[in-house]
Amino acid sequence: MSGSLNGNKILGAALATALVIIGVQQITGAIYHSEAPEKMGYFVDAPEEAAGGPAEVVLPPDWGTVLPTADLAAGEAAFARCQACHDAHQGGADKIGPNLWAVVGGPVMHRPGFAYSDAMNAHKAEAPTWGYDELDQFITAPARYVPGTKMSFAGIRDQQTRINLIAWLRTQGSGGIAIPAPDPARQPGAAAPAEGEAPAEGAAPAEGAAATEGAAPAAEGAVPATTQTPPVAPPASTSAPSNH
């Protein structure tokens, strides 16, 4: 009899423990209830440049106008964000990225022996020189301009910062690279002429056209000499000439 009583006590204690555990779980679930997210994972707010996404269309800089007035001190300060991967001094060693001495106007993959990516090697076949426009586009968004590049830098969105940086890089071994003449088509507010519209005043003549040295401009509304119709002589009179 005592053995049966002890067994009942043990069974009752086990059932009571199970009920307590279940009750605690129910109460805890009610207190700390949370809704499941619609999409699993974490949202990372990264700029589109880092993912090679689209960017707003910006008129290319008029290098002939902006380079002479660029802030070189600000450009050197902007290069501080590049120093972890690049050196721009003559004779400086390559780091994670190649040394950038004389990069402006120089060839793409200008550092012999540096392990450039296959993407940069393919890009070199399309754009072999680091011109002003090419550098500007690359610094804006490296992953978009050269898809597959090993350069993980997200890019510099501010155009004036890029102009200052490129102007300063030009002082690092690229001073012999000429600054182009100002280009009115790149200045703010400029628009491409409509199809069939005459070029703006001061524009260069069309390819293959030669101006006559010393020739005066035609009067307004005059027909060019090359298209004028030669004068037609009046018909000869059939009457006998007068004796007067």
Side-chain angles (χ1 to χ4, degrees), residues 109-150:
M109 299 175 61
H110 69 294
R111 293 287 292 180
F114 184 81
Y116 290 96
S117 64
D118 293 339
M120 188 62 71
N121 189 43
H123 173 74
K124 181 179 180 180
E126 301 175 0
T129 304
W130 282 125
Y132 295 118
D133 284 339
E134 289 76 14
L135 273 175
D136 183 56
Q137 293 179 63
F138 184 65
I139 296 173
T140 300
R144 187 178 70 235
Y145 185 61
V146 183
T149 178
K150 293 191 294 186

Side-chain angles (χ1 to χ4, degrees), residues 6 26-27 31 74 77 98 106 110 112 114-115 134 181 186 190-192 228 237:
N6 290 335
Q26 294 294 329
I27 295 172
I31 295 175
H110 69 294
F114 184 81
E134 289 76 14
R186 290 191 172 200
Q228 287 182 349
S237 176

Side-chain angles (χ1 to χ4, degrees), residues 153-172:
F153 182 58
I156 299 176
R157 292 289 299 273
D158 183 66
Q159 187 181 73
Q160 187 59 51
T161 301
R162 298 194 307 271
I163 290 170
N164 294 336
L165 175 57
I166 292 172
W168 180 80
L169 284 173
R170 182 176 174 271
T171 67
Q172 306 302 300

Side-chain angles (χ1 to χ4, degrees), residues 37 39-43:
K39 294 183 179 180
M40 300 302 294
Y42 295 96
F43 171 73

Side-chain angles (χ1 to χ4, degrees), residues 4-194:
S4 176
L5 183 60
N6 290 335
N8 290 336
K9 289 181 179 180
I10 294 172
L11 181 59
L15 289 175
T17 302
L19 290 174
V20 170
I21 292 173
I22 294 173
V24 170
Q25 290 178 342
Q26 294 294 329
I27 295 172
T28 303
I31 295 175
Y32 298 103
H33 175 72
S34 60
E35 296 290 342
E38 295 181 0
K39 294 183 179 180
M40 300 302 294
Y42 295 96
F43 171 73
V44 178
D45 186 10
E48 289 181 337
E49 286 81 5
E56 60 187 39
V57 177
V58 179
L59 191 69
D62 176 19
W63 299 107
T65 300
V66 300
L67 284 178
T69 59
D71 188 338
L72 297 180
E76 184 175 10
F79 185 74
R81 68 187 74 183
C82 312
Q83 288 179 339
C85 300
H86 296 281
D87 188 344
H89 298 93
Q90 185 175 17
D94 296 326
K95 297 183 179 181
I96 298 175
N99 180 286
L100 299 181
W101 174 262
V103 67
V104 180
V108 173
M109 299 175 61
H110 69 294
R111 293 287 292 180
F114 184 81
Y116 290 96
S117 64
D118 293 339
M120 188 62 71
N121 189 43
H123 173 74
K124 181 179 180 180
E126 301 175 0
T129 304
W130 282 125
Y132 295 118
D133 284 339
E134 289 76 14
L135 273 175
D136 183 56
Q137 293 179 63
F138 184 65
I139 296 173
T140 300
R144 187 178 70 235
Y145 185 61
V146 183
T149 178
K150 293 191 294 186
M151 185 171 175
S152 58
F153 182 58
I156 299 176
R157 292 289 299 273
D158 183 66
Q159 187 181 73
Q160 187 59 51
T161 301
R162 298 194 307 271
I163 290 170
N164 294 336
L165 175 57
I166 292 172
W168 180 80
L169 284 173
R170 182 176 174 271
T171 67
Q172 306 302 300
S174 299
I177 304 302
I179 296 176
D183 184 358
R186 290 191 172 200
Q187 293 175 4

Side-chain angles (χ1 to χ4, degrees), residues 59 85 183 197 226 229 243:
L59 191 69
C85 300
D183 184 358
E197 182 181 347
T226 55
T229 304
N243 294 325

